Each structure stands twice: as C-alpha cells, then as structure tokens.
Amino acid sequence: MTSRLNPYISFDGDARQAMEFYKDVFGGTLALNTFGEYGAPEGEGADKIMHAMLESDSGYTIMGADTPPGMEHNPGTNIAVSLSGDDGDELRGYWAKLADGGSVSVPLEKQMWGDEFGACTDKFGISWMVNIAGTPG
C-alpha cells in the first residue's frame, strides 16, 4: 500500500451515525468496529465505535472513532477536511450533501483565483472545504 493522507475524526458518541452519513455522501465501503468487539462486550460504551474506516469509490479514505469511555472529547476548530479536484459534478454533489443540515461559511462559487470554492460545517460539526479547479466562466 502507498502512503496516504486522510482525516481521522474523533466523535462524541455519534461516530456510527457520522460515518454512515459520510458513506451516503461518498459511497464506498464502510468498516465499523466497536469497543465491545475488542474488549468487554458488556462494558461501558461497548456499542460505541472504536475504529471506523470508509474507503470511497473515488479513492477518499475517512477514519473515525468515538472518544473512548473515560476520556474527554475535545472538538477542535483548527482543522478542516479538504476535497479538491476537477470533477465539478461530483464535487458539487458532495458539497450539497455535506452542507445539508449544516452551516455554510463560504458559498460554493467562483473565487478570485479562478476556482469554484466553498466552506461549510456539516451537521456533526466537521469543517469542510471544497475546491473545483479551473471552473470555466
């Protein structure tokens, strides 16, 4: 396997819902493993996600997990997930799904550098940036 860069997102108990949402957005194969599968099946948080990995049909990989029991969840505001490329239809489709139920800070539109760009926060509090290269017009 070659090296890859992908986000790993910590969630506050809703990793399953978030990762299933991202699967609906990007398609692909989602693997979910719970804390109970690798520890005490009856323990605290046994049904929560210890590790999730989504591998999309387009080559994106997103990993995530619920914060382990006993640890504090500290959502950050200094990171965003960036999607970029030149397939405008595909990226606009992702944008529409990510922004649905979330909030848009920069509408997806042509920018001064000539690309189409937008920024939003999805309904799970994750920041996304979408850049469509070389959009004509």
Side-chain angles (χ1 to χ4, degrees):
M1 173 174 30
T2 61
S3 296
R4 65 178 158 198
L5 176 67
N6 62 274
Y8 201 112
I9 306 168
S10 295
F11 296 95
D12 191 17
D14 57 358
R16 180 182 304 274
Q17 296 92 331
M19 295 301 291
E20 288 173 348
F21 169 70
Y22 298 140
K23 183 181 186 300
D24 288 343
V25 171
F26 300 111
T29 303
L30 176 61
L32 299 169
N33 300 104
T34 65
F35 288 102
E37 289 176 273
Y38 293 97
E42 305 300 322
E44 179 186 353
D47 62 338
K48 298 300 180 189
I49 301 302
M50 184 183 92
H51 178 71
M53 185 163 107
L54 173 64
E55 292 184 288
S56 78
D57 300 332
S58 296
Y60 303 125
T61 300
I62 300 173
M63 295 181 189
D66 286 313
T67 302
M71 293 184 70
E72 186 177 341
H73 180 255
N74 294 311
T77 57
N78 60 337
I79 189 167
V81 182
S82 175
L83 287 173
S84 58
D86 58 5
D87 188 331
D89 291 338
E90 180 181 51
L91 291 165
R92 283 184 205 94
Y94 295 154
W95 169 263
K97 292 176 184 177
L98 290 166
D100 186 28
S103 63
V104 173
S105 55
V106 178
L108 183 63
E109 59 191 19
K110 189 155 186 165
Q111 301 296 321
M112 67 178 109
W113 60 88
D115 292 352
E116 206 171 326
F117 174 85
C120 69
T121 301
D122 71 24
K123 61 186 174 183
F124 294 100
I126 304 303
S127 298
W128 294 86
M129 299 180 296
V130 175
N131 192 85
I132 304 168
T135 306

